Amino acid sequence: MFSKRMILVAVVIILVAVNVILLTITGKHSQAPSGLGRGALVIVSPFQKQFTAFFHSVKGIWNQYFFLVSMAKENQRLKKTLGQSLQQLNRCSETELANERLRHLLGFEEEISRPMIAAQVVGKDPSDWSKTIIVDKGTGDGVRQGAPVVIPEGIVGVVVEASGRYAKVLLLTDPNSAVDALVQQTRARGIVKGGGADYCVFDYVLRKHEISVGDMVVSSGLDGVFPKGFRVGRISEIVRQNAGIFQKVSVTPYVDFDILEEVFVISEPAYEVSPGES
Amino acid sequence: MIYGYHLIICLFLMIFQTTLLAGGSRVHLYDLLAPFVVYLGVHHPPRAAIPVLVLGGLAMDGISGGVFGVYLTAYLWMYVGVRQAIQFLQVGNVILLPLLVTAGVVFESLVVAFSAVVLASAPWPVESMFPVVSGQVLWGAVTGPFLMLFFIRGQKAVDRARKSFYSEKGPLGTP
């Protein structure tokens, strides 16, 4: 009744359909099913770490001994100082603005110091379509899923998967990323989402808020992941449409994700449950 | 021995492209395992290729942040496609082999792009497909055939080493 060829074509069509359905199901989850992702991290990441270490040592020898010894050292020192200064400056601005707003309050919330774990980037995502990195610290070092990852320049991303010694970090620029943020000067609030390429989209900013290109966007602390006041990026484009209650805002992150080498993982969650809550 | 060679190549390509080559976001490099899958399809039967493809696909899906299973899907279907193609193509031909490698890169780029634009929970804008896919195809067309030649040369070296090892041991397996 049916030729062999027709049956073969039907089988292929069914297999493709099943395949697409399975991919659609897994596509709705940000994590690999049943620890398969962690398994891959355990197997591949140690090799990545050794390869990266070798590459960095070769690069280091070249930079420090063959290519302008003194300038490379001075550059490293200046970069470190600049990072610290930026962080300090940002903290001062945040404190100044918070003081102005809250000076009428009688009690001040005590700032909680949060431990940070320094980690080295050992690998990056093989695909152009997802922005993740692998770092050499895992659950054994206190890194937990959902922990924020930062550097002095600003927010890097969030840990999405962690094995014993390695963790996968979803970068701020990935479309799956979202940070509750506000414009530092005007306190206009919105959600910064990854735009895919080198930029982010600042969603849900009301049209009534006056913001301008160049304004600094910082984390609001209201998402329960990122602590308040961490630098996210600078507003690079604003489109105010005639209709709608929101404006379209693009943000350029402060972090250069192409040259990331070391990051800090904040080990405790920003949101702390009070003893009365369950 | 050939399994070992394939697994080492697979692991090396994976590490190479996630460490050294993953520097900038402006150059859209293709997945180096795509020419490797074409090589497996042309030179190896399913018994030798499928285990390597499954392990490689799962490892790539594990370290990538994209839709889980997309690399595994792309590798398996690409292998099936190449096996079908070599039944009527003379792949020793100087023109057809590079074309087959390029077709493999195109197929994988499109599958991964489709997963990101259509199937992902936070899909990418459709207009971002063109620069990424075209960049990957261009790089794949230029460098893919050379990679393929490298794999073939490597396999010949492994075969020679295996033959000399067994001939030194003698017919009864004693030195």
Side-chain angles (χ1 to χ4, degrees):
Chain A
M1 194 172 152
F2 295 110
S3 69
K4 211 173 175 182
R5 194 182 173 86
M6 269 183 75
I7 294 169
L8 190 70
V9 170
V11 167
V12 169
I13 289 170
I14 291 167
L15 282 176
V16 170
V18 170
N19 202 168
V20 171
I21 291 166
L22 286 174
L23 286 177
T24 311
I25 294 165
T26 57
K28 300 300 165 205
H29 303 276
S30 59
Q31 246 189 307
S34 61
L36 282 170
R38 277 196 295 280
L41 282 183
V42 169
I43 294 164
V44 180
S45 298
F47 293 101
Q48 286 180 316
K49 187 178 179 180
Q50 296 305 322
F51 204 84
T52 307
F54 172 73
F55 177 60
H56 281 168
S57 60
V58 171
K59 207 170 123 186
I61 289 168
W62 178 260
N63 283 342
Q64 299 205 355
Y65 295 102
F66 295 110
F67 186 71
L68 300 172
V69 178
S70 58
M71 279 187 77
K73 281 182 180 169
E74 192 185 353
N75 195 24
Q76 274 183 356
R77 187 178 58 77
L78 289 173
K79 271 184 182 169
K80 212 173 182 178
T81 317
L82 179 67
Q84 286 167 349
S85 306
L86 282 172
Q87 183 71 0
Q88 206 172 0
L89 178 69
N90 182 53
R91 222 180 296 141
C92 289
S93 311
E94 275 296 301
T95 313
E96 193 185 338
L97 287 164
N99 276 344
E100 280 174 18
R101 280 198 328 276
L102 305 172
R103 62 187 169 189
H104 64 281
L105 293 178
L106 291 172
F108 294 95
E109 198 177 329
E110 199 178 320
E111 197 185 327
I112 304 156
S113 64
R114 303 180 58 195
M116 288 190 181
I117 301 160
Q120 198 189 0
V121 178
V122 296
K124 296 188 180 179
D125 204 296
S127 169
D128 275 325
W129 298 102
S130 53
K131 308 284 178 187
T132 60
I133 53 170
I134 295 169
V135 296
D136 66 345
K137 293 288 187 299
T139 50
D141 307 286
V143 173
R144 297 280 175 272
Q145 195 181 324
V149 181
V150 297
I151 58 171
E153 284 80 8
I155 287 174
V156 173
V158 66
V159 174
V160 286
E161 199 150 23
S163 69
R165 297 180 67 180
Y166 297 92
K168 196 195 286 177
V169 178
L170 186 73
L171 298 181
L172 182 68
T173 46
D174 190 282
N176 287 297
S177 277
V179 179
D180 198 302
L182 40 85
V183 179
Q184 195 172 47
Q185 296 302 316
T186 61
R187 315 312 281 182
R189 212 183 128 204
I191 308 282
V192 173
K193 288 180 181 172
D198 294 335
Y199 68 97
C200 295
V201 181
F202 196 16
D203 275 345
Y204 310 117
V205 182
L206 293 171
R207 272 170 61 88
K208 68 177 182 183
H209 290 302
E210 281 299 320
I211 55 173
S212 47
V213 172
D215 282 357
M216 186 191 287
V217 179
V218 296
S219 56
S220 70
L222 294 171
D223 52 17
V225 178
F226 294 97
K228 189 177 182 178
F230 269 85
R231 289 150 49 97
V232 175
R234 194 172 286 281
I235 292 176
S236 52
E237 193 186 358
I238 303 166
V239 179
R240 286 193 181 88
Q241 289 161 329
N242 292 330
I245 55 169
F246 302 116
Q247 42 193 325
K248 279 175 77 176
V249 184
S250 294
V251 172
T252 305
Y254 284 114
V255 177
D256 187 348
F257 296 100
D258 291 343
I259 53 165
L260 267 185
E261 287 184 11
E262 287 95 18
V263 295
F264 291 105
V265 182
I266 302 178
S267 64
E268 285 175 9
Y271 177 73
E272 299 211 337
V273 181
S274 63
E277 289 178 74
S278 58
Chain B
M1 202 163 184
I2 202 71
Y3 280 113
Y5 168 67
H6 288 159
L7 286 173
I8 287 169
I9 288 284
C10 196
L11 190 64
F12 174 76
L13 292 174
M14 222 179 286
I15 291 161
F16 189 67
Q17 67 183 351
T18 55
T19 51
L20 266 186
L21 293 184
S25 56
R26 281 153 198 90
V27 179
H28 303 294
L29 282 175
Y30 63 103
D31 177 13
L32 298 182
L33 268 87
F36 182 65
V37 176
V38 176
Y39 151 79
L40 287 177
V42 173
H43 293 279
H44 294 280
R47 187 170 48 85
I50 297 291
V52 180
L53 291 176
V54 171
L55 287 175
L58 286 175
M60 282 291 280
D61 282 318
I63 57 173
S64 165
V67 175
F68 190 86
V70 70
Y71 282 102
L72 185 61
T73 295
Y75 295 164
L76 289 177
W77 282 112
M78 202 197 303
Y79 180 78
V80 172
V82 172
R83 295 297 293 179
Q84 289 296 314
I86 58 168
Q87 287 181 1
F88 55 88
L89 284 181
Q90 181 63 38
V91 285
N93 190 304
V94 182
I95 297 168
L96 284 181
L97 189 64
L99 270 181
L100 198 62
V101 176
T102 309
V105 174
V106 172
F107 174 75
E108 202 210 313
S109 296
L110 286 175
V111 170
V112 179
F114 176 78
S115 75
V117 172
V118 179
L119 304 175
S121 55
W124 283 60
V126 181
E127 60 268 20
S128 59
M129 259 182 87
F130 182 73
V132 176
V133 173
S134 59
Q136 288 177 337
V137 171
L138 194 69
W139 276 104
V142 174
T143 60
F146 292 105
L147 265 179
M148 179 95 174
L149 287 177
F150 169 75
F151 302 141
I152 295 167
R153 287 271 170 91
Q155 188 199 331
K156 282 179 182 165
V158 170
D159 286 342
R160 271 200 303 274
R162 188 178 55 183
K163 274 177 192 161
S164 67
F165 177 75
Y166 283 116
S167 63
E168 276 174 22
K169 271 189 136 184
L172 296 173
T174 50

